[in-house]
Amino acid sequence: MLLYLILLLPYFCLEAECIERELLITGCARSGTTYISQLFKKSGIDLSHDHEYGAVGRYGLSSWLLVPDATHAPWGPVRHDCLFHHIFHQTRHPLQVISSAYTTEPKISWIFILENVPEITWEDRHVVKAAKYWYYWNAMAEKIAEWRYRVEEIAFALPEMERRLQITLDSSLIDTLPNNTNTRGAHTKDFTWEDLQKELNPELFWKIAEMARRYGYLDAPSPDIYPCRALAA
């Protein structure tokens, strides 16, 4: 596969603005892309973050905006103009992302999201938008990534990350870096699984719960487990 990509490289980068880098880490907004960028940088590896507005680190980029193959983005580069040798999918617990996106994500982000996720409409209630976003954005990320890990378990993911990239990261930084960087303030709403079951239609709710369990978030309900009853009402 690597040889195939190398042979095709001239065709991907015909245009002068094509950016070739080693690594893209992507997933949903509010999933720790700033945190992972800082972990790399403080380990001496230049992985920039999308909020550096157009700057792409010498090693690569950590950005939620590069999940779709878009030709424009609110800020930073787009995947359409880039070639990455590795793409990793970083996830965060759905309740955390949905709560944070519901409260803090600006309108410019939602415009971009709706342009790229036809399943979300402006008529959807905001909690439905945030829930659909977590599901459909991660579903897109799965299709382009070679590997997925949970940011909450970064200490356990680090050895595999280092093996895939043939680099060394400073694991002592994990507990010293702030994990609330770029949170844009505290949530004004913290959704629970029970809240989501009340707010979402059953099909969407169980899709999110199934994806969460598949990602390793084992507190997510299944149709046979309390407290959320399968397709009730």
Side-chain angles (χ1 to χ4, degrees):
M1 181 63 180
L2 180 58
L3 177 60
Y4 176 75
L5 287 174
I6 292 172
L7 290 173
L8 286 180
L9 180 59
Y11 299 96
F12 284 120
C13 293
L14 288 175
E15 298 182 12
E17 65 269 20
C18 181
I19 301 167
E20 182 190 359
R21 293 292 188 272
E22 190 67 20
L23 177 63
L24 167 65
I25 295 180
T26 194
C28 285
R30 329 312 308 154
S31 290
T33 51
T34 302
Y35 173 84
I36 197 68
S37 171
Q38 290 183 343
L39 178 60
F40 270 74
K41 284 186 172 183
K42 289 185 180 295
S43 297
I45 300 171
D46 187 17
L47 188 80
S48 63
H49 183 254
D50 55 57
H51 273 283
E52 293 171 38
Y53 293 94
V56 180
R58 289 185 298 277
Y59 194 78
L61 181 65
S62 174
S63 173
W64 68 274
L65 296 164
L66 275 71
V67 166
D69 189 19
T71 57
H72 69 277
W75 54 84
V78 293
R79 187 161 56 87
H80 183 80
D81 296 333
C82 300
L83 175 66
F84 296 98
H85 298 165
H86 298 275
I87 300 179
F88 294 167
H89 177 195
Q90 178 171 287
T91 68
R92 186 184 178 203
H93 196 290
L95 296 181
Q96 294 295 314
V97 174
I98 292 168
S99 297
S100 185
Y102 176 89
T103 305
T104 65
E105 212 54 45
K107 187 172 182 180
I108 191 172
S109 295
W110 285 110
I111 291 171
F112 180 71
I113 291 165
L114 267 69
E115 286 176 347
N116 290 282
V117 183
E119 293 85 356
I120 306 176
T121 71
W122 288 112
E123 290 71 33
D124 287 333
R125 288 176 295 112
H126 199 50
V127 61
V128 176
K129 288 190 186 76
K132 285 183 175 180
Y133 169 61
W134 186 86
Y135 178 80
Y136 288 108
W137 210 258
N138 279 311
M140 285 195 291
E142 285 187 22
K143 294 178 181 178
I144 64 170
E146 68 179 69
W147 178 56
R148 179 177 65 247
Y149 63 92
R150 299 185 299 277
V151 71
E152 297 93 341
E153 303 293 334
I154 189 63
F156 299 101
L158 223 57
E160 177 63 13
M161 186 179 289
E162 292 174 323
R163 185 192 71 79
R164 288 174 179 267
L165 300 173
Q166 294 296 295
I167 60 172
T168 300
L169 296 166
D170 186 351
S171 60
S172 69
L173 295 168
I174 291 173
D175 294 326
T176 62
L177 288 172
N179 58 15
N180 61 348
T181 303
N182 197 27
T183 56
R184 301 190 188 125
H187 303 166
T188 58
K189 178 65 177 177
D190 289 307
F191 289 106
T192 65
W193 288 113
E194 290 83 356
D195 292 332
L196 292 187
Q197 190 176 35
K198 292 174 184 176
E199 295 282 356
L200 308 179
N201 69 59
E203 181 182 6
L204 177 60
F205 174 79
W206 290 110
K207 280 182 176 180
I208 291 170
E210 186 278 330
M211 179 180 276
R213 291 181 66 82
R214 181 161 55 83
Y215 286 179
Y217 299 107
L218 300 182
D219 67 308
S222 76
D224 302 318
I225 296 176
Y226 181 85
C228 295
R229 295 174 182 154
L231 306 180

PDB file of all heavy atoms in Angstrom, residues 27-34 49 51 64 75 90-93 96-102 104-106 109 133 151 180-185 187:
ATOM      1  N   GLY A  27     -10.772  13.968  13.690  1.00  0.00           N
ATOM      2  CA  GLY A  27     -11.950  13.458  14.384  1.00  0.00           C
ATOM      3  C   GLY A  27     -12.918  14.616  14.537  1.00  0.00           C
ATOM      4  O   GLY A  27     -12.902  15.558  13.739  1.00  0.00           O
ATOM      5  N   CYS A  28     -13.739  14.573  15.567  1.00  0.00           N
ATOM      6  CA  CYS A  28     -14.681  15.667  15.818  1.00  0.00           C
ATOM      7  C   CYS A  28     -13.975  16.857  16.471  1.00  0.00           C
ATOM      8  O   CYS A  28     -12.971  16.691  17.169  1.00  0.00           O
ATOM      9  CB  CYS A  28     -15.799  15.207  16.748  1.00  0.00           C
ATOM     10  SG  CYS A  28     -17.020  14.138  15.981  1.00  0.00           S
ATOM     11  N   ALA A  29     -14.553  18.037  16.266  1.00  0.00           N
ATOM     12  CA  ALA A  29     -14.170  19.176  17.100  1.00  0.00           C
ATOM     13  C   ALA A  29     -14.476  18.834  18.550  1.00  0.00           C
ATOM     14  O   ALA A  29     -15.358  18.037  18.838  1.00  0.00           O
ATOM     15  CB  ALA A  29     -14.958  20.412  16.676  1.00  0.00           C
ATOM     16  N   ARG A  30     -13.742  19.432  19.465  1.00  0.00           N
ATOM     17  CA  ARG A  30     -13.892  19.199  20.897  1.00  0.00           C
ATOM     18  C   ARG A  30     -13.409  17.818  21.318  1.00  0.00           C
ATOM     19  O   ARG A  30     -13.829  17.279  22.331  1.00  0.00           O
ATOM     20  CB  ARG A  30     -15.341  19.399  21.396  1.00  0.00           C
ATOM     21  CG  ARG A  30     -16.198  20.406  20.683  1.00  0.00           C
ATOM     22  CD  ARG A  30     -15.549  21.747  20.440  1.00  0.00           C
ATOM     23  NE  ARG A  30     -14.976  22.338  21.645  1.00  0.00           N
ATOM     24  CZ  ARG A  30     -13.960  23.204  21.640  1.00  0.00           C
ATOM     25  NH1 ARG A  30     -13.391  23.562  20.515  1.00  0.00           N
ATOM     26  NH2 ARG A  30     -13.513  23.704  22.751  1.00  0.00           N
ATOM     27  N   SER A  31     -12.512  17.201  20.507  1.00  0.00           N
ATOM     28  CA  SER A  31     -12.033  15.848  20.809  1.00  0.00           C
ATOM     29  C   SER A  31     -10.555  15.800  21.192  1.00  0.00           C
ATOM     30  O   SER A  31      -9.934  14.748  21.118  1.00  0.00           O
ATOM     31  CB  SER A  31     -12.273  14.921  19.601  1.00  0.00           C
ATOM     32  OG  SER A  31     -13.640  14.664  19.432  1.00  0.00           O
ATOM     33  N   GLY A  32      -9.992  16.934  21.575  1.00  0.00           N
ATOM     34  CA  GLY A  32      -8.622  16.928  22.053  1.00  0.00           C
ATOM     35  C   GLY A  32      -7.572  17.122  20.987  1.00  0.00           C
ATOM     36  O   GLY A  32      -6.411  16.748  21.183  1.00  0.00           O
ATOM     37  N   THR A  33      -7.927  17.757  19.868  1.00  0.00           N
ATOM     38  CA  THR A  33      -6.928  17.981  18.818  1.00  0.00           C
ATOM     39  C   THR A  33      -5.857  18.977  19.260  1.00  0.00           C
ATOM     40  O   THR A  33      -4.696  18.863  18.846  1.00  0.00           O
ATOM     41  CB  THR A  33      -7.600  18.460  17.516  1.00  0.00           C
ATOM     42  OG1 THR A  33      -8.458  19.570  17.784  1.00  0.00           O
ATOM     43  CG2 THR A  33      -8.392  17.339  16.869  1.00  0.00           C
ATOM     44  N   THR A  34      -6.214  19.944  20.085  1.00  0.00           N
ATOM     45  CA  THR A  34      -5.207  20.867  20.620  1.00  0.00           C
ATOM     46  C   THR A  34      -4.257  20.129  21.561  1.00  0.00           C
ATOM     47  O   THR A  34      -3.036  20.304  21.503  1.00  0.00           O
ATOM     48  CB  THR A  34      -5.869  22.037  21.363  1.00  0.00           C
ATOM     49  OG1 THR A  34      -6.750  22.720  20.480  1.00  0.00           O
ATOM     50  CG2 THR A  34      -4.833  23.010  21.881  1.00  0.00           C
ATOM     51  N   HIS A  49      -1.759  22.708  14.925  1.00  0.00           N
ATOM     52  CA  HIS A  49      -3.204  22.598  15.173  1.00  0.00           C
ATOM     53  C   HIS A  49      -3.931  23.524  14.220  1.00  0.00           C
ATOM     54  O   HIS A  49      -3.383  24.544  13.782  1.00  0.00           O
ATOM     55  CB  HIS A  49      -3.511  22.965  16.623  1.00  0.00           C
ATOM     56  CG  HIS A  49      -4.955  22.814  16.976  1.00  0.00           C
ATOM     57  ND1 HIS A  49      -5.800  23.890  17.140  1.00  0.00           N
ATOM     58  CD2 HIS A  49      -5.716  21.703  17.158  1.00  0.00           C
ATOM     59  CE1 HIS A  49      -7.020  23.447  17.428  1.00  0.00           C
ATOM     60  NE2 HIS A  49      -7.003  22.139  17.433  1.00  0.00           N
ATOM     61  N   HIS A  51      -6.047  25.754  14.565  1.00  0.00           N
ATOM     62  CA  HIS A  51      -6.224  27.144  14.972  1.00  0.00           C
ATOM     63  C   HIS A  51      -4.966  27.988  14.764  1.00  0.00           C
ATOM     64  O   HIS A  51      -4.958  29.173  15.109  1.00  0.00           O
ATOM     65  CB  HIS A  51      -6.702  27.231  16.416  1.00  0.00           C
ATOM     66  CG  HIS A  51      -8.190  27.156  16.527  1.00  0.00           C
ATOM     67  ND1 HIS A  51      -9.010  28.209  16.239  1.00  0.00           N
ATOM     68  CD2 HIS A  51      -9.006  26.120  16.849  1.00  0.00           C
ATOM     69  CE1 HIS A  51     -10.271  27.843  16.397  1.00  0.00           C
ATOM     70  NE2 HIS A  51     -10.302  26.588  16.763  1.00  0.00           N
ATOM     71  N   TRP A  64      -9.831  18.880  13.123  1.00  0.00           N
ATOM     72  CA  TRP A  64     -11.121  18.238  12.838  1.00  0.00           C
ATOM     73  C   TRP A  64     -11.641  18.628  11.466  1.00  0.00           C
ATOM     74  O   TRP A  64     -12.496  17.942  10.893  1.00  0.00           O
ATOM     75  CB  TRP A  64     -12.135  18.609  13.913  1.00  0.00           C
ATOM     76  CG  TRP A  64     -12.570  20.058  13.941  1.00  0.00           C
ATOM     77  CD1 TRP A  64     -11.957  21.087  14.579  1.00  0.00           C
ATOM     78  CD2 TRP A  64     -13.727  20.619  13.317  1.00  0.00           C
ATOM     79  NE1 TRP A  64     -12.641  22.262  14.389  1.00  0.00           N
ATOM     80  CE2 TRP A  64     -13.751  22.005  13.625  1.00  0.00           C
ATOM     81  CE3 TRP A  64     -14.770  20.098  12.536  1.00  0.00           C
ATOM     82  CZ2 TRP A  64     -14.753  22.860  13.172  1.00  0.00           C
ATOM     83  CZ3 TRP A  64     -15.767  20.949  12.086  1.00  0.00           C
ATOM     84  CH2 TRP A  64     -15.752  22.317  12.406  1.00  0.00           C
ATOM     85  N   TRP A  75     -11.064  27.926   8.533  1.00  0.00           N
ATOM     86  CA  TRP A  75      -9.680  28.354   8.783  1.00  0.00           C
ATOM     87  C   TRP A  75      -8.779  27.149   8.518  1.00  0.00           C
ATOM     88  O   TRP A  75      -9.214  25.999   8.510  1.00  0.00           O
ATOM     89  CB  TRP A  75      -9.498  28.855  10.220  1.00  0.00           C
ATOM     90  CG  TRP A  75      -9.941  27.872  11.264  1.00  0.00           C
ATOM     91  CD1 TRP A  75      -9.213  26.829  11.777  1.00  0.00           C
ATOM     92  CD2 TRP A  75     -11.217  27.816  11.900  1.00  0.00           C
ATOM     93  NE1 TRP A  75      -9.956  26.134  12.695  1.00  0.00           N
ATOM     94  CE2 TRP A  75     -11.191  26.716  12.796  1.00  0.00           C
ATOM     95  CE3 TRP A  75     -12.381  28.587  11.821  1.00  0.00           C
ATOM     96  CZ2 TRP A  75     -12.279  26.364  13.595  1.00  0.00           C
ATOM     97  CZ3 TRP A  75     -13.461  28.237  12.605  1.00  0.00           C
ATOM     98  CH2 TRP A  75     -13.410  27.143  13.489  1.00  0.00           C
ATOM     99  N   GLN A  90      -8.883  10.198  16.142  1.00  0.00           N
ATOM    100  CA  GLN A  90      -8.927  10.392  17.589  1.00  0.00           C
ATOM    101  C   GLN A  90     -10.365  10.618  18.023  1.00  0.00           C
ATOM    102  O   GLN A  90     -11.051  11.490  17.488  1.00  0.00           O
ATOM    103  CB  GLN A  90      -8.053  11.579  17.977  1.00  0.00           C
ATOM    104  CG  GLN A  90      -8.055  11.906  19.470  1.00  0.00           C
ATOM    105  CD  GLN A  90      -7.004  12.937  19.817  1.00  0.00           C
ATOM    106  OE1 GLN A  90      -5.810  12.651  19.824  1.00  0.00           O
ATOM    107  NE2 GLN A  90      -7.430  14.154  20.109  1.00  0.00           N
ATOM    108  N   THR A  91     -10.825   9.851  19.000  1.00  0.00           N
ATOM    109  CA  THR A  91     -12.202   9.994  19.473  1.00  0.00           C
ATOM    110  C   THR A  91     -12.233  10.472  20.918  1.00  0.00           C
ATOM    111  O   THR A  91     -11.265  10.324  21.669  1.00  0.00           O
ATOM    112  CB  THR A  91     -12.982   8.662  19.382  1.00  0.00           C
ATOM    113  OG1 THR A  91     -12.446   7.729  20.341  1.00  0.00           O
ATOM    114  CG2 THR A  91     -12.907   8.075  17.980  1.00  0.00           C
ATOM    115  N   ARG A  92     -13.362  11.040  21.262  1.00  0.00           N
ATOM    116  CA  ARG A  92     -13.652  11.442  22.641  1.00  0.00           C
ATOM    117  C   ARG A  92     -15.076  10.997  22.955  1.00  0.00           C
ATOM    118  O   ARG A  92     -15.910  10.868  22.047  1.00  0.00           O
ATOM    119  CB  ARG A  92     -13.506  12.955  22.792  1.00  0.00           C
ATOM    120  CG  ARG A  92     -13.641  13.472  24.221  1.00  0.00           C
ATOM    121  CD  ARG A  92     -13.585  14.985  24.239  1.00  0.00           C
ATOM    122  NE  ARG A  92     -13.766  15.541  25.580  1.00  0.00           N
ATOM    123  CZ  ARG A  92     -14.182  16.778  25.832  1.00  0.00           C
ATOM    124  NH1 ARG A  92     -14.456  17.612  24.819  1.00  0.00           N
ATOM    125  NH2 ARG A  92     -14.318  17.211  27.057  1.00  0.00           N
ATOM    126  N   HIS A  93     -15.370  10.800  24.211  1.00  0.00           N
ATOM    127  CA  HIS A  93     -16.681  10.291  24.628  1.00  0.00           C
ATOM    128  C   HIS A  93     -17.804  11.129  24.013  1.00  0.00           C
ATOM    129  O   HIS A  93     -17.762  12.361  24.046  1.00  0.00           O
ATOM    130  CB  HIS A  93     -16.792  10.321  26.150  1.00  0.00           C
ATOM    131  CG  HIS A  93     -17.914   9.491  26.679  1.00  0.00           C
ATOM    132  ND1 HIS A  93     -19.243   9.820  26.508  1.00  0.00           N
ATOM    133  CD2 HIS A  93     -17.905   8.310  27.366  1.00  0.00           C
ATOM    134  CE1 HIS A  93     -20.003   8.910  27.076  1.00  0.00           C
ATOM    135  NE2 HIS A  93     -19.220   7.978  27.600  1.00  0.00           N
ATOM    136  N   GLN A  96     -19.370  13.980  26.067  1.00  0.00           N
ATOM    137  CA  GLN A  96     -18.501  15.148  26.210  1.00  0.00           C
ATOM    138  C   GLN A  96     -18.497  16.000  24.948  1.00  0.00           C
ATOM    139  O   GLN A  96     -18.602  17.235  25.010  1.00  0.00           O
ATOM    140  CB  GLN A  96     -17.080  14.698  26.541  1.00  0.00           C
ATOM    141  CG  GLN A  96     -16.940  14.025  27.894  1.00  0.00           C
ATOM    142  CD  GLN A  96     -17.225  14.977  29.028  1.00  0.00           C
ATOM    143  OE1 GLN A  96     -16.745  16.108  29.031  1.00  0.00           O
ATOM    144  NE2 GLN A  96     -18.025  14.553  29.989  1.00  0.00           N
ATOM    145  N   VAL A  97     -18.386  15.344  23.792  1.00  0.00           N
ATOM    146  CA  VAL A  97     -18.340  16.100  22.541  1.00  0.00           C
ATOM    147  C   VAL A  97     -19.681  16.757  22.254  1.00  0.00           C
ATOM    148  O   VAL A  97     -19.745  17.936  21.873  1.00  0.00           O
ATOM    149  CB  VAL A  97     -17.932  15.184  21.362  1.00  0.00           C
ATOM    150  CG1 VAL A  97     -18.019  15.939  20.034  1.00  0.00           C
ATOM    151  CG2 VAL A  97     -16.515  14.654  21.579  1.00  0.00           C
ATOM    152  N   ILE A  98     -20.762  16.020  22.416  1.00  0.00           N
ATOM    153  CA  ILE A  98     -22.092  16.578  22.130  1.00  0.00           C
ATOM    154  C   ILE A  98     -22.380  17.754  23.053  1.00  0.00           C
ATOM    155  O   ILE A  98     -22.864  18.803  22.613  1.00  0.00           O
ATOM    156  CB  ILE A  98     -23.168  15.478  22.256  1.00  0.00           C
ATOM    157  CG1 ILE A  98     -22.985  14.448  21.122  1.00  0.00           C
ATOM    158  CG2 ILE A  98     -24.574  16.073  22.222  1.00  0.00           C
ATOM    159  CD1 ILE A  98     -23.801  13.175  21.302  1.00  0.00           C
ATOM    160  N   SER A  99     -22.063  17.619  24.329  1.00  0.00           N
ATOM    161  CA  SER A  99     -22.286  18.717  25.277  1.00  0.00           C
ATOM    162  C   SER A  99     -21.457  19.940  24.912  1.00  0.00           C
ATOM    163  O   SER A  99     -21.942  21.076  24.943  1.00  0.00           O
ATOM    164  CB  SER A  99     -21.953  18.263  26.701  1.00  0.00           C
ATOM    165  OG  SER A  99     -22.809  17.223  27.126  1.00  0.00           O
ATOM    166  N   SER A 100     -20.197  19.707  24.559  1.00  0.00           N
ATOM    167  CA  SER A 100     -19.305  20.817  24.241  1.00  0.00           C
ATOM    168  C   SER A 100     -19.694  21.484  22.922  1.00  0.00           C
ATOM    169  O   SER A 100     -19.739  22.713  22.822  1.00  0.00           O
ATOM    170  CB  SER A 100     -17.862  20.312  24.183  1.00  0.00           C
ATOM    171  OG  SER A 100     -16.971  21.368  23.992  1.00  0.00           O
ATOM    172  N   ALA A 101     -19.969  20.682  21.892  1.00  0.00           N
ATOM    173  CA  ALA A 101     -20.364  21.249  20.605  1.00  0.00           C
ATOM    174  C   ALA A 101     -21.682  22.007  20.724  1.00  0.00           C
ATOM    175  O   ALA A 101     -21.861  23.072  20.115  1.00  0.00           O
ATOM    176  CB  ALA A 101     -20.482  20.140  19.561  1.00  0.00           C
ATOM    177  N   TYR A 102     -22.595  21.490  21.512  1.00  0.00           N
ATOM    178  CA  TYR A 102     -23.893  22.132  21.730  1.00  0.00           C
ATOM    179  C   TYR A 102     -23.714  23.528  22.308  1.00  0.00           C
ATOM    180  O   TYR A 102     -24.417  24.471  21.936  1.00  0.00           O
ATOM    181  CB  TYR A 102     -24.719  21.262  22.672  1.00  0.00           C
ATOM    182  CG  TYR A 102     -26.055  21.833  23.077  1.00  0.00           C
ATOM    183  CD1 TYR A 102     -27.198  21.587  22.315  1.00  0.00           C
ATOM    184  CD2 TYR A 102     -26.191  22.587  24.242  1.00  0.00           C
ATOM    185  CE1 TYR A 102     -28.438  22.095  22.689  1.00  0.00           C
ATOM    186  CE2 TYR A 102     -27.418  23.100  24.624  1.00  0.00           C
ATOM    187  CZ  TYR A 102     -28.539  22.855  23.838  1.00  0.00           C
ATOM    188  OH  TYR A 102     -29.753  23.362  24.218  1.00  0.00           O
ATOM    189  N   THR A 104     -20.491  25.377  22.740  1.00  0.00           N
ATOM    190  CA  THR A 104     -19.367  26.254  22.436  1.00  0.00           C
ATOM    191  C   THR A 104     -19.049  26.424  20.959  1.00  0.00           C
ATOM    192  O   THR A 104     -18.343  27.367  20.599  1.00  0.00           O
ATOM    193  CB  THR A 104     -18.085  25.736  23.123  1.00  0.00           C
ATOM    194  OG1 THR A 104     -17.730  24.458  22.561  1.00  0.00           O
ATOM    195  CG2 THR A 104     -18.293  25.596  24.622  1.00  0.00           C
ATOM    196  N   GLU A 105     -19.515  25.541  20.097  1.00  0.00           N
ATOM    197  CA  GLU A 105     -19.075  25.614  18.704  1.00  0.00           C
ATOM    198  C   GLU A 105     -19.722  26.814  18.016  1.00  0.00           C
ATOM    199  O   GLU A 105     -20.929  26.988  18.055  1.00  0.00           O
ATOM    200  CB  GLU A 105     -19.422  24.311  17.978  1.00  0.00           C
ATOM    201  CG  GLU A 105     -18.451  23.917  16.891  1.00  0.00           C
ATOM    202  CD  GLU A 105     -17.005  23.850  17.353  1.00  0.00           C
ATOM    203  OE1 GLU A 105     -16.716  23.295  18.427  1.00  0.00           O
ATOM    204  OE2 GLU A 105     -16.156  24.394  16.606  1.00  0.00           O
ATOM    205  N   PRO A 106     -18.936  27.684  17.368  1.00  0.00           N
ATOM    206  CA  PRO A 106     -19.483  28.910  16.771  1.00  0.00           C
ATOM    207  C   PRO A 106     -20.251  28.622  15.479  1.00  0.00           C
ATOM    208  O   PRO A 106     -20.126  27.550  14.881  1.00  0.00           O
ATOM    209  CB  PRO A 106     -18.236  29.746  16.487  1.00  0.00           C
ATOM    210  CG  PRO A 106     -17.149  28.733  16.295  1.00  0.00           C
ATOM    211  CD  PRO A 106     -17.467  27.594  17.220  1.00  0.00           C
ATOM    212  N   SER A 109     -18.470  27.288  12.383  1.00  0.00           N
ATOM    213  CA  SER A 109     -18.220  25.847  12.390  1.00  0.00           C
ATOM    214  C   SER A 109     -19.452  25.083  11.917  1.00  0.00           C
ATOM    215  O   SER A 109     -19.347  24.135  11.131  1.00  0.00           O
ATOM    216  CB  SER A 109     -17.827  25.377  13.790  1.00  0.00           C
ATOM    217  OG  SER A 109     -16.607  25.930  14.196  1.00  0.00           O
ATOM    218  N   TYR A 133     -23.836  15.346  14.496  1.00  0.00           N
ATOM    219  CA  TYR A 133     -22.455  15.704  14.181  1.00  0.00           C
ATOM    220  C   TYR A 133     -21.498  14.652  14.709  1.00  0.00           C
ATOM    221  O   TYR A 133     -20.607  14.176  13.978  1.00  0.00           O
ATOM    222  CB  TYR A 133     -22.119  17.081  14.761  1.00  0.00           C
ATOM    223  CG  TYR A 133     -20.649  17.417  14.707  1.00  0.00           C
ATOM    224  CD1 TYR A 133     -19.981  17.494  13.490  1.00  0.00           C
ATOM    225  CD2 TYR A 133     -19.919  17.615  15.876  1.00  0.00           C
ATOM    226  CE1 TYR A 133     -18.621  17.780  13.436  1.00  0.00           C
ATOM    227  CE2 TYR A 133     -18.563  17.892  15.830  1.00  0.00           C
ATOM    228  CZ  TYR A 133     -17.921  17.975  14.606  1.00  0.00           C
ATOM    229  OH  TYR A 133     -16.574  18.244  14.563  1.00  0.00           O
ATOM    230  N   VAL A 151      -8.904   9.404  23.021  1.00  0.00           N
ATOM    231  CA  VAL A 151      -7.995  10.382  23.623  1.00  0.00           C
ATOM    232  C   VAL A 151      -7.939  10.195  25.140  1.00  0.00           C
ATOM    233  O   VAL A 151      -6.915  10.481  25.770  1.00  0.00           O
ATOM    234  CB  VAL A 151      -8.409  11.821  23.241  1.00  0.00           C
ATOM    235  CG1 VAL A 151      -9.710  12.249  23.931  1.00  0.00           C
ATOM    236  CG2 VAL A 151      -7.279  12.808  23.538  1.00  0.00           C
ATOM    237  N   ASN A 180      -7.777  20.776  29.196  1.00  0.00           N
ATOM    238  CA  ASN A 180      -8.942  21.635  28.915  1.00  0.00           C
ATOM    239  C   ASN A 180      -8.568  22.794  28.003  1.00  0.00           C
ATOM    240  O   ASN A 180      -9.254  23.807  27.954  1.00  0.00           O
ATOM    241  CB  ASN A 180      -9.532  22.167  30.217  1.00  0.00           C
ATOM    242  CG  ASN A 180      -8.539  23.008  31.006  1.00  0.00           C
ATOM    243  OD1 ASN A 180      -7.356  23.022  30.713  1.00  0.00           O
ATOM    244  ND2 ASN A 180      -9.041  23.697  32.027  1.00  0.00           N
ATOM    245  N   THR A 181      -7.433  22.645  27.273  1.00  0.00           N
ATOM    246  CA  THR A 181      -7.028  23.694  26.339  1.00  0.00           C
ATOM    247  C   THR A 181      -8.061  23.856  25.246  1.00  0.00           C
ATOM    248  O   THR A 181      -8.575  22.892  24.720  1.00  0.00           O
ATOM    249  CB  THR A 181      -5.666  23.333  25.718  1.00  0.00           C
ATOM    250  OG1 THR A 181      -4.722  23.139  26.771  1.00  0.00           O
ATOM    251  CG2 THR A 181      -5.184  24.432  24.796  1.00  0.00           C
ATOM    252  N   ASN A 182      -8.379  25.112  24.904  1.00  0.00           N
ATOM    253  CA  ASN A 182      -9.321  25.395  23.824  1.00  0.00           C
ATOM    254  C   ASN A 182     -10.716  24.866  24.104  1.00  0.00           C
ATOM    255  O   ASN A 182     -11.439  24.464  23.200  1.00  0.00           O
ATOM    256  CB  ASN A 182      -8.805  24.828  22.487  1.00  0.00           C
ATOM    257  CG  ASN A 182      -9.516  25.438  21.292  1.00  0.00           C
ATOM    258  OD1 ASN A 182      -9.992  26.551  21.352  1.00  0.00           O
ATOM    259  ND2 ASN A 182      -9.589  24.685  20.215  1.00  0.00           N
ATOM    260  N   THR A 183     -11.128  24.836  25.386  1.00  0.00           N
ATOM    261  CA  THR A 183     -12.471  24.376  25.700  1.00  0.00           C
ATOM    262  C   THR A 183     -13.498  25.487  25.540  1.00  0.00           C
ATOM    263  O   THR A 183     -14.695  25.236  25.600  1.00  0.00           O
ATOM    264  CB  THR A 183     -12.541  23.856  27.149  1.00  0.00           C
ATOM    265  OG1 THR A 183     -12.094  24.890  28.035  1.00  0.00           O
ATOM    266  CG2 THR A 183     -11.697  22.611  27.324  1.00  0.00           C
ATOM    267  N   ARG A 184     -13.065  26.745  25.364  1.00  0.00           N
ATOM    268  CA  ARG A 184     -13.964  27.883  25.203  1.00  0.00           C
ATOM    269  C   ARG A 184     -14.958  27.994  26.356  1.00  0.00           C
ATOM    270  O   ARG A 184     -16.131  28.245  26.169  1.00  0.00           O
ATOM    271  CB  ARG A 184     -14.738  27.786  23.873  1.00  0.00           C
ATOM    272  CG  ARG A 184     -13.841  27.746  22.652  1.00  0.00           C
ATOM    273  CD  ARG A 184     -14.658  27.903  21.380  1.00  0.00           C
ATOM    274  NE  ARG A 184     -13.815  27.672  20.225  1.00  0.00           N
ATOM    275  CZ  ARG A 184     -14.094  26.780  19.277  1.00  0.00           C
ATOM    276  NH1 ARG A 184     -15.184  26.056  19.344  1.00  0.00           N
ATOM    277  NH2 ARG A 184     -13.289  26.627  18.262  1.00  0.00           N
ATOM    278  N   GLY A 185     -14.466  27.761  27.570  1.00  0.00           N
ATOM    279  CA  GLY A 185     -15.317  27.940  28.732  1.00  0.00           C
ATOM    280  C   GLY A 185     -16.031  26.656  29.119  1.00  0.00           C
ATOM    281  O   GLY A 185     -16.045  25.666  28.396  1.00  0.00           O
ATOM    282  N   HIS A 187     -19.040  23.994  30.001  1.00  0.00           N
ATOM    283  CA  HIS A 187     -20.317  23.672  29.378  1.00  0.00           C
ATOM    284  C   HIS A 187     -21.452  24.290  30.197  1.00  0.00           C
ATOM    285  O   HIS A 187     -21.405  24.328  31.414  1.00  0.00           O
ATOM    286  CB  HIS A 187     -20.552  22.153  29.361  1.00  0.00           C
ATOM    287  CG  HIS A 187     -19.475  21.389  28.657  1.00  0.00           C
ATOM    288  ND1 HIS A 187     -19.342  20.027  28.769  1.00  0.00           N
ATOM    289  CD2 HIS A 187     -18.481  21.795  27.842  1.00  0.00           C
ATOM    290  CE1 HIS A 187     -18.323  19.630  28.048  1.00  0.00           C
ATOM    291  NE2 HIS A 187     -17.779  20.692  27.481  1.00  0.00           N
TER     292      HIS A 187
END
